[in-house]
Amino acid sequence: MNSLDWVVLISYFGVMVAIGLWSHKRVDNVSDFFTAGGKMPWWLSGISHHMSGYSAVMFTGYAAISYQYGITSYVTWSFPIAIGIAIGAHLFAPRLNRVRSRLKVASPLEYLKSRYNVPTQQALAWSGVLLKIVDVGAKWAAIATLLSVFTGVSLNQGILITGAVTAVYCTVGGLWADALTELGQFIIQFVAGIAMLIAVLHELDGFSTFWSVWDDLPSSHHQPTVGPYTLTFLLAYLFIKTFEYNGGMWNQAQRYMATDSAHSAKRSARLSAVLWFVWPLVLFFPMWVAPLIIKTDKPADSYADMAEHLLPHGLLGLVIVGFFSHTMAMCSSDANAIAAVVTRDIMPALFRSVRAWSARTGLLAARYTTLLFLALSMAIATQVNSPFFGDIITVVIKWVAGLMGPIAIPLILGMLRAFRRSGPTAALVSWAMGLIAFYLVNDAVDGGVNLEYQISVPLAVSLVLFIVIGCLKPEDTPERDAILASLNSDDDGSGSAGAALSAPGQDAAGRTSVAGAAD
């Protein structure tokens, strides 16, 4: 990097902070902070949903997969995510919007208190928060690794710089700041991605590279499934990502909740699905052909090395900004989602005084919780390459994919009328046994288990138990049926269950609720 690249990078950080400060004027209460007050346009929600779904891990961990195996990085990653989101556009996105608009909540988990019970809500909340601290820690480590390659700063310095900038805009502006910065980040990434693609085509055979390059690459590079990324892995990943990207990853649920109607949420999901189908192809192609341009013993550094080799200064700075944009988008949105769960689900259950907080106090608590989460995840980031966690891609694929299912199953399927008989027992047992299954397939089985089973068995166990226990021990009640009726009605108007679920002690704007105060 030279001075021009530094100007681009510092300017980017400055714009992100400025957007956060501007968004501050749009945040008056916790509803604005966590769900944009239900006023986010569908197209902004869709871009934000897409951008908050992946990070700089794509340019490190998945760059390594692309360098070694080729197109399987797309076939077994972004393609199943796109399919899963397309499915969720009809099944889950509208219902998640109704969770906010009809049940008057600001956190994706608030409705679980009445759909199941408080212990179920708390089990999912605590386990999800702990998982996301590790997940986001891996994202900080990934972007700090890239920063180290380009600038020579240490891993810990990179974590501190990116975390501090993210903390400013996402704690000040809430979900509005997240979405608007993600829009800016998408534009930056679009320009940077196209620049990198053009540079690679110029280095090789021009436009004809798209079809002529494959004979020069290893035969494995154009096989859709290869190495550990088998057909079974692909199906397992589709299975998992359908749940994860439709609300199991709480920040994604917030994007649907933030739109003005269920119809807008559906349009948002469709846009995100299209972006997942198309845009990763642009980003991945340079990674697939990287072996023809550079040779490296560290495949995770291949994209960064290639950018330094091909791009002039200024454009190189823009590509580096693109790396930052993805990670900061995901980490800031995760921080907002976790703050929502902590302040709206966990704290009211632990402390009765929280239920009487004013709107101002609730908003301050949301901001302080966001800062605390970012600090903890940054601390974890310094340890992500330790023997306990493994390398970055292991954390992201195995830990997150394997543990997401048990947390997501009761949350996502609990909205569907077909699972109305599955109550608190089914939810808690499926959650607990899914976590135990994760331990068994990852640590307790001698000789190890293939990656596809490590990530899919926990979710499969949770899914089967959630359904079977619901059949053997049905726990549907008139109150729970009313909630499901509200979420499954096609009318975008208010549902009958809305008044009962303001929140554990507060409504979405932070005012004391009668239902919550009576708990």
Side-chain angles (χ1 to χ4, degrees), residues 105-394:
V105 301
S107 157
L109 301 189
E110 282 190 55
Y111 94 102
L112 297 179
K113 177 182 176 183
S114 296
R115 173 59 180 88
Y116 300 110
N117 56 19
V118 172
T120 302
Q121 179 199 43
Q122 294 301 297
L124 298 182
W126 279 97
S127 55
V129 167
L130 295 175
L131 173 62
K132 292 308 290 182
I133 290 175
V134 176
D135 179 29
V136 174
K139 306 301 191 304
W140 291 133
I143 196 170
T145 299
L146 288 170
L147 187 61
S148 177
V149 170
F150 286 111
T151 68
V153 302
S154 69
L155 178 69
N156 290 347
Q157 288 172 331
I159 292 168
L160 179 61
I161 292 170
T162 53
V165 173
T166 304
V168 172
Y169 76 76
C170 74
T171 56
V172 170
L175 191 65
W176 273 117
D178 289 347
L180 291 172
T181 54
E182 284 159 0
L183 174 61
Q185 289 158 353
F186 177 75
I187 295 172
I188 291 169
Q189 182 57 64
F190 179 84
V191 176
I194 295 297
M196 189 65 175
L197 178 64
I198 292 174
V200 166
L201 295 178
H202 178 73
E203 180 73 8
L204 297 175
D205 297 325
F207 190 77
S208 63
T209 302
F210 285 122
W211 56 84
S212 65
V213 74
W214 303 106
D215 291 337
D216 300 324
L217 290 167
S219 60
S220 61
H221 261 58
H222 45 82
Q223 295 178 15
T225 56
V226 65
Y229 308 102
T230 63
L231 178 60
T232 304
F233 177 91
L234 169 61
L235 296 175
Y237 214 64
L238 172 60
F239 186 46
I240 291 166
K241 295 304 174 180
T242 299
F243 288 96
E244 183 179 338
Y245 278 72
N246 285 296
M249 213 158 46
W250 301 334
N251 60 316
Q252 306 286 49
Q254 284 181 300
R255 272 62 189 167
Y256 299 145
M257 294 171 68
T259 58
D260 62 352
S261 67
H263 177 66
S264 294
K266 184 182 294 187
R267 296 177 74 186
S268 167
R270 288 171 176 168
L271 174 58
S272 181
V274 170
L275 290 174
W276 274 103
F277 272 120
V278 177
W279 182 239
L281 289 170
V282 176
L283 298 180
F284 270 133
F285 186 81
M287 302 182 196
W288 295 337
V289 301
L292 301 179
I293 300 174
I294 59 170
K295 302 298 180 183
T296 179
D297 295 328
K298 295 181 178 180
D301 295 340
S302 60
Y303 193 88
D305 291 341
M306 191 164 54
E308 284 195 307
H309 175 70
L310 295 178
L311 295 177
H313 292 292
L315 273 181
L316 176 61
L318 195 65
V319 169
I320 296 170
V321 165
F323 297 157
F324 279 93
S325 67
H326 283 303
T327 297
M328 293 172 72
M330 175 172 277
C331 293
S332 62
S333 62
D334 276 333
N336 187 272
I338 294 302
V341 170
V342 171
T343 58
R344 306 289 294 175
D345 301 313
I346 293 177
M347 293 179 67
L350 294 178
F351 308 106
R352 183 173 293 272
S353 60
V354 172
R355 305 172 191 177
W357 275 350
S358 65
R360 175 176 173 77
T361 303
L363 185 55
L364 286 174
R367 287 180 168 139
Y368 287 137
T369 304
T370 303
L371 283 174
L372 178 61
F373 170 78
L374 289 171
L376 290 174
S377 64
M378 289 160 65
I380 289 292
T382 64
Q383 305 299 317
V384 76
N385 286 316
S386 67
F388 177 71
F389 288 115
D391 60 21
I392 294 170
I393 198 66
T394 298

